[in-house]
Amino acid sequence: KQEVTQIPAALSVPEGENLVLNCSFTDSAIYNLQWFRQDPGKGLTSLLLIQSSQREQTSGRLNASLDKSSGRSTLYIAASQPGDSATYLCAVRLIRNGQNFVFGPGTRLSVLP
Amino acid sequence: NAGVTQTPKFRILKIGQSMTLQCTQDMNHNYMYWYRQDPGMGLKLIYYSVGAGITDKGEVPNGYNVSRSTTEDFPLRLELAAPSQTSVYFCASSYSDRGPHEQYFGPGTRLTVT
């Protein structure tokens, strides 16, 4: 059974720091991996989607990498800002059941001014 | 486009009551999903649909039912509500069978069963 974990569970950094969020999954048979942002009391907003054949995707200050063989993805946030404070979740889409996405529990990020 | 919309935003139910959570998307997506999110946990898939008239169970379907009579709407029905169904419910949609299936989420419905 696919399991997705995210470390750390919570992270607090001063404004301006570069930071890395980690996502690990146990089964490498995935179509893709998606990173989301969730603000308190809100829905999920898609940040980046990496196909299984890709190594990384970039959007603005965000860069996501994927190492399928080791079951890892990282989300790199450059020059963090207080507005980046949110919970970040990763989700993998399974090959075994292509309609099924398995989510990690999230990393709660606080960027202090 | 409004994207994915959900109603209501909040609801309190008594044990044994029933209700329907509404979900509508205007992006002509063929895939739709219902998830629940419990505190400190990831989202768990309740039901999904790959097109009008087709639904299937996800990881945690017990106590729920769905229907998909149109492409746009995917209501989730709770019968005989139980405290274990207290959660935040998210509806999502995505497009295509061969594409990346990037998911778009609604704002959620916060449900409390007492």
Side-chain angles (χ1 to χ4, degrees):
Chain A
K1 179 185 173 186
Q2 176 75 270
E3 293 187 1
V4 180
T5 55
Q6 292 185 247
I7 294 173
L11 181 63
S12 186
V13 300
E15 181 177 5
E17 270 203 10
N18 301 325
L19 58 99
V20 174
L21 307 181
N22 297 293
C23 172
S24 297
F25 47 96
T26 55
D27 185 351
S28 61
I30 63 170
Y31 274 123
N32 58 45
L33 184 145
Q34 196 168 356
W35 281 95
F36 295 88
R37 169 189 173 130
Q38 185 177 27
D39 293 291
K42 305 286 187 184
L44 280 68
T45 301
S46 178
L47 297 173
L48 290 164
L49 183 148
I50 312 177
Q51 298 281 57
S52 63
S53 58
Q54 296 174 322
R55 296 284 294 182
E56 65 179 303
Q57 282 283 344
T58 298
S59 175
R61 292 183 295 109
L62 305 179
N63 175 278
S65 68
L66 175 64
D67 184 343
K68 203 172 66 162
S69 61
S70 67
R72 292 181 184 176
S73 176
T74 61
L75 179 66
Y76 175 83
I77 303 177
S80 58
Q81 303 170 358
D84 295 329
S85 297
T87 297
Y88 292 80
L89 297 98
C90 65
V92 295
R93 181 183 169 207
L94 307 178
I95 287 178
R96 174 172 45 83
N97 180 348
Q99 290 76 36
N100 205 350
F101 292 78
V102 180
F103 281 78
T107 293
R108 190 170 67 253
L109 173 66
S110 296
V111 181
L112 307 174
Chain B
N1 287 352
V4 181
T5 57
Q6 293 183 239
T7 57
K9 286 187 169 54
F10 304 93
R11 184 72 184 268
I12 298 175
L13 281 183
K14 294 190 186 305
I15 294 172
Q17 287 185 322
S18 300
M19 76 164 293
T20 298
L21 281 66
Q22 301 292 345
C23 175
T24 299
Q25 54 91 12
D26 63 359
M27 297 174 283
N28 202 31
H29 285 172
N30 49 349
Y31 284 64
M32 295 187 75
Y33 314 82
W34 274 106
Y35 294 92
R36 60 176 287 171
Q37 184 179 36
D38 298 316
M41 308 286 285
L43 279 71
K44 294 196 182 298
L45 184 65
I46 304 172
Y47 270 95
Y48 65 93
S49 168
V50 302
I54 306 170
T55 63
D56 211 341
K57 296 178 181 178
E59 185 181 355
V60 291
N62 291 346
Y64 307 94
N65 276 301
V66 293
S67 60
R68 184 97 182 269
S69 57
T70 67
T71 299
E72 294 79 19
D73 300 307
F74 190 41
L76 177 72
R77 177 88 178 154
L78 278 72
E79 305 282 0
L80 299 175
S84 61
Q85 293 178 304
T86 294
S87 190
V88 181
Y89 292 83
F90 290 101
C91 179
S93 69
S94 65
Y95 180 73
S96 177
D97 191 30
R98 295 168 196 245
H101 268 278
E102 185 170 5
Q103 292 190 83
Y104 296 83
F105 280 77
T109 294
R110 187 174 298 272
L111 176 67
T112 302
V113 182
T114 62

